[in-house]
Amino acid sequence: QSAQELHLKSTSNTTFSTSSSERLRIDSSGRIGVNVTNPASYNNDADALVVSAPSGGGNNSGITIRSNYAGSGSIYFADGSSGNDAYKGYVVYNQPNDIMYLGVQNSTKFQINANGAIGLSGSNYGSSGQVLTSQGSGSGVQWASVGGGQVLQTIQATKSDTASYSVSSGGI
């Protein structure tokens, strides 16, 4: 152990408190609870880190990932520590371009651009594939080529007085 390291040894739980209230717990299994004293009580599929709203802080709870304006914020899902196993699935927010990516099986399957365009499938979004766009309130949704060129299909839904919907579409 070097002089810069802090080691806490416990046979049960390690807790951190402020103002006489427990704020952080690491239980004997390694689960972490932030403002939670019983992280093992939550869904076994997602109890490694449990975050709760602070007492007196309202009903909302969340985690903020702050990244540099030139970088990205990411959550990765892995089943290993190297190669493709390190990022089987992911959620990435690209700050410079304001784009959100959702990846499955090591590639982007869904993308949302800052202008609201949605891209489906293909890791080369922006150079191939199709996008779903909106032309504003009252306009139909359009499938279009990525470059904003050819409209492949427009879908317009209308509601009748009988509370049923009809969908019409037109394309190339």
Side-chain angles (χ1 to χ4, degrees), residues 129-162:
Q130 296 86 38
V131 295
L132 184 64
T133 64
S134 171
Q135 305 305 308
S137 178
S139 296
V141 175
Q142 293 184 340
W143 280 108
S145 61
V146 172
Q150 183 178 21
V151 173
L152 304 174
Q153 188 167 29
T154 300
I155 302 169
Q156 182 73 45
T158 57
K159 180 182 174 189
S160 70
D161 291 337
T162 60

Side-chain angles (χ1 to χ4, degrees), residues 63-128:
I63 299 172
T64 298
I65 299 173
R66 188 201 182 280
S67 51
N68 187 289
Y69 68 91
S72 294
S74 306
I75 300 172
Y76 284 86
F77 303 90
D79 60 7
S81 60
S82 63
N84 290 344
D85 291 343
Y87 68 101
K88 290 285 183 130
Y90 53 85
V91 178
V92 175
Y93 188 82
N94 177 280
Q95 295 288 3
N97 298 306
D98 290 319
I99 299 172
M100 177 76 75
Y101 301 96
L102 178 63
V104 177
Q105 200 174 16
N106 311 104
S107 69
T108 299
K109 304 296 185 194
F110 186 75
Q111 176 177 325
I112 304 171
N113 285 359
N115 65 3
I118 298 172
L120 302 173
S121 199
S123 58
N124 293 325
Y125 177 82
S127 61
S128 65

